[in-house]
């Protein structure tokens, strides 16, 4: 059997750089373990295959009918692109549901960063896969903890850690335990008037992360720049001005985008505070999208908040938003990398109408202000704490 060409895999449309690869040693270990087991492709499930290294290597080896779940829209597009490039097929994409796991004998998992996400996945496997299913989970040793074994142990009677190889390790879980009547996720929490609903893979879970909290405080207080904007728009509407109609405003309200929405805290809060506005929330994480939809419903604003699974708003029309809200990430997987934030700034520049506004919160140690000024337009600081900075950027004409 010819060796699979891992080096030809690309991360696109995710950030690409010399220190970022489309496969790692964990992918290879999972593929090797799967090939050593006599499990048909139709009874094999792959979860968390970032760019297709596991799925495509197995299909190239003749394992057809593999079911695949990827949380990230970027991963889904990369898998499709890599499959086309290599002329490979034989897999079907699924969400994390019964259709993905029904009858599965073997589940291969790239361990997620969040224990809550691992808990939701382990419960789903124990709940829907075959009674004799084997879950093989792998990760880089430096990112693995005993807590991962403990989480798997809540859903499986046997969890065995394998010997580390090439700085990666596999955990083999078998003998699924009885599952509770209801899945452990999503979970719900109230924060004042705001209700957050979160699946395991959503950033910060049902907590209100501190960066979002700072941005919400600034928006709720109505800083001077925001207040001037509100007054100007109100005057334009009273005077029959054209600004609202020419900027894509619906029924006198603004079009607002929560870019990288997570659980939808910003989108739901804005919709609650501004009932005339129409809000779109988008995220590349399927878990975040499911959470944001549930959050919008829990707060009674589902009719005014549209949630989409997308890569940096790539499916949204250019110049179609008056306001963008953004709490950008500073990690790509386990790597600290500002490329993810840059892609979102570029997206905001494309999606905002001329003179539209971007409100951003970010770690004060990062030099995002200069980058936003370069990519989008003049950027002013609204608040700075020892940890976070909130800015307002106006899209240049």
């Amino acid at each position: 059997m010819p060796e699979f060409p891992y080096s030809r895999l690309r991360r696109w449309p995710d950030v690409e750089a010399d220190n970022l690869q489309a496969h790692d040693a964990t992918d290879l270990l999972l593929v090797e373990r799967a090939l050593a087991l006599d499990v048909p492709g139709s009874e094999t499930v792959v979860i968390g295959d970032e760019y297709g290294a596991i799925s495509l290597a197995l299909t190239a080896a003749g394992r057809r009918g593999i079911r695949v779940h990827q949380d990230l829209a970027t991963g889904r597009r990369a898998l499709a692109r890599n499959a086309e490039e290599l002329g490979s097929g034989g897999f079907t994409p699924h969400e994390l549901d019964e259709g993905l796991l029904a009858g599965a004998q073997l589940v291969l998992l790239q361990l997620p960063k969040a224990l809550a996400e691992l808990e939701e996945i382990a419960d789903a496997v124990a709940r829907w896969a075959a009674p004799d299913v084997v879950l093989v989970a792998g990760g880089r040793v430096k990112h693995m903890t005993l807590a991962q074994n403990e989480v798997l142990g809540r859903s499986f009677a046997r969890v065995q850690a394998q010997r580390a190889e090439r700085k990666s390790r596999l955990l083999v879980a078998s003998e699924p335990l009885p599952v509770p009547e209801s899945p452990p996720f999503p979970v719900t929490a109230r924060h004042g008037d705001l209700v957050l609903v979160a699946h395991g893979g959503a950033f910060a879970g049902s907590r209100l992360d501190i960066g979002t909290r700072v941005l919400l405080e600034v928006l709720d207080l109505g800083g001077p720049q925001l207040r001037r904007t509100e007054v100007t728009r109100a005057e334009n509407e009273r005077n029959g001005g054209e600004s609202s109609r020419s900027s894509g405003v619906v029924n006198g309200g603004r079009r607002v985008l929560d870019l990288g929405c997570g659980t939808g805290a910003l989108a739901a809060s804005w919709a609650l505070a501004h009932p005339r506005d129409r809000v779109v929330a988008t995220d590349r994480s399927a878990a975040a999208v499911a959470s944001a939809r549930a959050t919008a419903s829990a707060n009674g604003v589902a009719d005014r908040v549209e949630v989409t699974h997308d890569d940096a708003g790539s499916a949204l029309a250019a110049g179609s938003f008056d306001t963008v809200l953004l709490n950008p990430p500073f990690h790509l997987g386990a790597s600290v990398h500002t490329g993810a934030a840059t892609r979102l700034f570029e997206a905001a520049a494309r999606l905002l109408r001329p003179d539209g506004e971007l409100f951003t919160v970010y770690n004060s140690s990062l030099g995002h202000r200069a980058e936003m000024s370069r990519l989008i337009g003049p950027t002013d600081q609204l608040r700075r704490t020892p940890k976070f900075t909130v800015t307002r950027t106006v899209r240049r004409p």
Side-chain angles (χ1 to χ4, degrees), residues 54-76:
I54 303 168
S55 307
L56 297 180
L58 291 178
T59 57
R63 302 288 177 92
R64 318 298 286 182
I66 291 173
R67 286 166 278 173
V68 181
H69 172 67
Q70 297 165 290
D71 180 61
L72 300 184
T74 45
R76 297 181 186 193

Side-chain angles (χ1 to χ4, degrees), residues 9 41 45-46 61 92 192 207 229 258 270 299 346 374 376:
L9 298 176
V45 169
V46 179
T92 56
R207 303 184 307 277
T229 301
D258 183 357
W270 188 283
N299 289 279
E346 291 170 344
R374 176 177 61 84
I376 305 169

Side-chain angles (χ1 to χ4, degrees), residues 13-333:
D14 209 343
V15 176
E16 298 188 301
D18 291 341
N19 65 329
L20 299 172
Q21 293 184 322
H23 71 283
D24 63 18
T26 307
D27 295 322
L28 275 62
L29 285 181
L30 287 167
V31 170
E32 290 167 5
R33 177 56 65 96
L35 293 178
L37 298 172
D38 188 22
V39 178
S42 60
E43 298 174 4
T44 300
V45 169
V46 179
I47 300 176
D49 190 3
E50 289 189 316
Y51 307 103
I54 303 168
S55 307
L56 297 180
L58 291 178
T59 57
R63 302 288 177 92
R64 318 298 286 182
I66 291 173
R67 286 166 278 173
V68 181
H69 172 67
Q70 297 165 290
D71 180 61
L72 300 184
T74 45
R76 297 181 186 193
R77 293 179 66 186
L79 171 57
R81 185 263 175 202
N82 286 325
E84 181 178 5
E85 175 68 19
L86 297 175
S88 181
F91 62 89
T92 56
H94 289 265
E95 298 302 332
L96 184 63
D97 55 20
E98 186 174 2
L100 171 73
L101 291 158
Q105 300 281 347
L106 174 64
V107 177
L108 305 173
L109 170 66
Q110 266 274 11
L111 283 165
K113 287 175 57 179
L115 292 176
E117 184 175 3
L118 178 59
E119 181 180 0
E120 185 168 18
I121 292 170
D123 175 85
V125 175
R127 184 177 299 274
W128 291 316
D132 56 348
V133 66
V134 174
L135 169 63
V136 183
R140 301 296 280 171
V141 171
K142 63 182 178 180
H143 300 307
M144 297 177 71
T145 67
L146 289 176
Q148 292 170 327
N149 301 52
E150 296 169 2
V151 169
L152 290 173
R154 297 173 198 161
S155 295
F156 294 89
R158 291 173 58 85
V159 179
Q160 297 176 307
Q162 307 297 292
R163 181 178 176 180
E165 298 181 52
R166 289 164 276 180
K167 299 183 180 180
S168 291
R169 187 190 302 277
L170 300 181
L171 303 176
V172 180
S174 57
E175 301 178 22
L177 296 170
V179 296
E181 182 177 351
S182 298
F185 292 91
V187 295
T188 301
R190 178 173 288 278
H191 305 272
D193 294 331
L194 177 68
V195 177
L196 288 185
V197 185
H199 285 269
F203 172 71
S206 60
R207 303 184 307 277
L208 189 60
D209 83 271
I210 52 178
T212 296
R213 189 184 299 275
V214 172
L215 181 54
L216 283 174
E217 288 175 358
V218 172
L219 295 175
D220 287 344
L221 291 171
Q225 291 86 354
L226 184 58
R227 279 201 298 270
R228 281 201 300 271
T229 301
E230 297 280 3
V231 170
T232 299
R233 287 200 171 105
E235 290 175 346
N236 283 337
E237 289 178 15
R238 285 196 300 272
N239 296 331
E242 294 295 320
S243 65
S244 64
R245 290 193 293 275
S246 64
S247 62
V249 173
V250 179
N251 296 327
R254 287 160 295 195
R255 279 180 54 82
V256 178
L257 174 64
D258 183 357
L259 184 59
C261 64
T263 56
L266 292 171
S269 296
W270 188 283
L272 287 168
H274 305 283
R276 297 176 65 190
D277 293 352
R278 303 293 296 187
V279 181
V280 175
T282 186
D283 202 290
R284 66 177 190 154
S285 163
V289 166
S291 302
R293 285 178 179 149
T295 291
S297 180
N299 289 279
V301 294
D303 60 329
R304 292 186 288 111
V305 177
E306 176 188 358
V307 186
T308 65
H309 189 207
D310 192 10
D311 171 31
S314 61
L316 301 173
S320 59
F321 290 94
D322 301 281
T323 302
V324 172
L325 312 175
L326 177 59
N327 180 1
F330 59 93
H331 281 85
L332 281 172

